[in-house]
Every structure is written in C-alpha cells, then in structure tokens.
Amino acid sequence: MEAKSLLEMARGAIMEQVDIETSKVIDNIVDPNTEAKKKRQIVLTVDFMPSADRETVTVSATAKSKLLPNNAIQTSLYVGVDHGTGEVIATEMSANIPGQRNFDGSMEQESPKLKMIAGGRA
C-alpha cells in the first residue's frame, strides 16, 4: 500500500477545502475592486486529538482564506443650509452642470440630493 499525504486523507476532503479556498483567493486577486499588490493567504489548521490510550488520533482540518476587502469608494458632497427653510442640504458633487449636453447628446442629470435623517427618523 502506498503512503499518502495528510492532505489526501478523509477521501481527499482536506485537499478539496484547500482547493476551494484557493479559488476564493484567485477570484479576489482578479477582482478589480480589490488592491492588486497586497498578499492574500490560505491558512490550513490541522488539529490532532489523541485518545487517552494514545492508540487513535482524531484529525480535524480547516482551511480559511484571508482575502482583501473591496477598495473604498469615495465621493464628495456640497453641504449647506437652505436659508428660506433652515433645512440642511447635501448634494453629491459632479464635474458637469445639470442640463448641460454631454458629448453623446444626452442631458446631464441633476446631482442626487442626500437623504437627511433628523433624530434617527427619515
């Protein structure tokens, strides 16, 4: 009988866990929403629990990947007070002027107004 690697034990389930986590790492690497050059990891934890008589050992293996989160998304807001109503207003900044025609002939939309919540209520 040929000797096998520990990774091949449990009918290959340990190796399969590592393969699944490897796929997650590769997906995270090719995701354009994550930082390209930072490292990712796969951590394989193998626990050995011997019986009292030391004749049997229960082996437990867990593979976990450490992935990068998505890059932060940033925007800027214009903030101010409507002097007529006293209402605080925040509007997303835009490089274009609402109503201005774009090169493709479409009309530039008005920047979205931020929903303001007073006292925890909308």
Side-chain angles (χ1 to χ4, degrees):
M1 182 185 296
E2 182 182 340
K4 289 189 173 189
S5 165
L6 177 68
L7 296 177
E8 297 174 278
M9 298 291 171
R11 292 186 218 107
I14 299 169
M15 192 176 340
E16 183 179 25
Q17 267 194 14
V18 172
D19 290 345
I20 289 168
E21 296 305 311
T22 301
S23 294
K24 290 178 185 178
V25 168
I26 298 302
D27 285 345
N28 189 256
I29 289 170
V30 299
D31 183 347
N33 294 309
T34 62
E35 196 167 325
K37 292 190 173 190
K38 287 202 173 176
K39 71 177 181 178
R40 283 77 163 167
Q41 277 185 331
I42 296 175
V43 177
L44 178 62
T45 303
V46 183
D47 296 317
F48 298 84
M49 181 63 78
S51 62
D53 62 5
R54 301 173 193 244
E55 289 186 9
T56 60
V57 178
T58 300
V59 179
S60 173
T62 306
K64 287 191 261 181
S65 53
K66 293 185 179 182
L67 307 175
L68 293 184
N70 285 347
N71 295 327
I73 298 169
Q74 294 182 329
T75 190
S76 296
L77 303 173
Y78 287 118
V79 294
V81 176
D82 182 329
H83 295 294
T85 64
E87 177 186 12
V88 176
I89 299 171
T91 304
E92 187 172 21
M93 290 176 62
S94 172
N96 298 323
I97 300 168
Q100 185 177 35
R101 291 231 177 255
N102 294 319
F103 286 116
D104 64 2
S106 64
M107 191 76 71
E108 184 63 34
Q109 300 296 314
E110 188 172 324
S111 296
K113 184 177 174 183
L114 184 66
K115 178 178 167 181
M116 301 299 288
I117 299 173
R121 297 184 314 267

